[in-house]
Amino acid sequence: MSIFYNGINYVLKTPTSAEVHLSPSAMGDIFIPRSIIFQSCEYLITSISANAFCRNNRINSVTFDNNSEIRSIENDSFSESSITNISIPRLTNKIGFRAFSSCSKLTSVTFPDDSDLQSIESQAFSSTMITNIAIP
């Protein structure tokens, strides 16, 4: 089931989790909460799906709740978008193929010191304007 909440589409994946899904109408500074409530049930946001913000030229930045449950940023999630910066949540363990590829305005990607990151797939940050990146 698909839910539209604060300008972002979410898909309910399990009885307790959801993912950010195709959101072509998202714009400006995007905030992804730890969870959403639907029909009195809480769904933890655990991933950003493939192509969720791909080619979206109306987004600037993406921020997450301090206690974000995002575990994966899938293939082409933000590719060819106008994102300028993002702070990867601590629990994120995978950044997919071309996740941020060809984001010509992307200059800043930060990771917390206690990051759970295990995998950055091929071309995840290719063709961006990142000048410095520190991966724990």
Side-chain angles (χ1 to χ4, degrees), residues 78-124:
F78 293 93
S79 64
E80 300 179 47
S81 74
S82 57
I83 188 172
T84 59
N85 63 75
I86 187 169
S87 292
I88 306 297
R90 185 184 73 77
L91 296 178
T92 302
N93 57 40
K94 174 193 166 198
I95 298 177
F97 175 73
R98 292 181 39 89
F100 296 94
S101 178
S102 299
C103 292
S104 61
K105 296 180 180 180
L106 182 62
T107 58
S108 175
V109 178
T110 58
F111 297 88
D113 291 336
D114 59 347
S115 173
D116 286 352
L117 189 65
Q118 297 174 4
S119 170
I120 298 177
E121 295 184 359
S122 175
Q123 300 178 40

Side-chain angles (χ1 to χ4, degrees), residues 27-82:
M27 58 191 297
D29 297 317
I30 306 298
F31 176 74
I32 298 176
R34 177 181 186 270
S35 63
I36 57 172
I37 305 293
F38 179 69
Q39 296 181 344
S40 301
C41 294
E42 181 180 29
Y43 295 88
L44 296 176
I45 311 305
T46 59
S47 65
I48 301 176
S49 74
N51 302 303
F53 299 100
C54 182
R55 295 187 185 97
N56 182 323
N57 289 313
R58 297 182 302 176
I59 62 174
N60 296 325
S61 65
V62 178
T63 56
F64 300 88
D65 254 342
N66 288 336
N67 58 351
S68 174
E69 293 287 328
I70 296 288
R71 309 277 196 223
S72 66
I73 299 173
E74 297 297 333
N75 300 350
D76 290 296
S77 292
F78 293 93
S79 64
E80 300 179 47
S81 74
S82 57

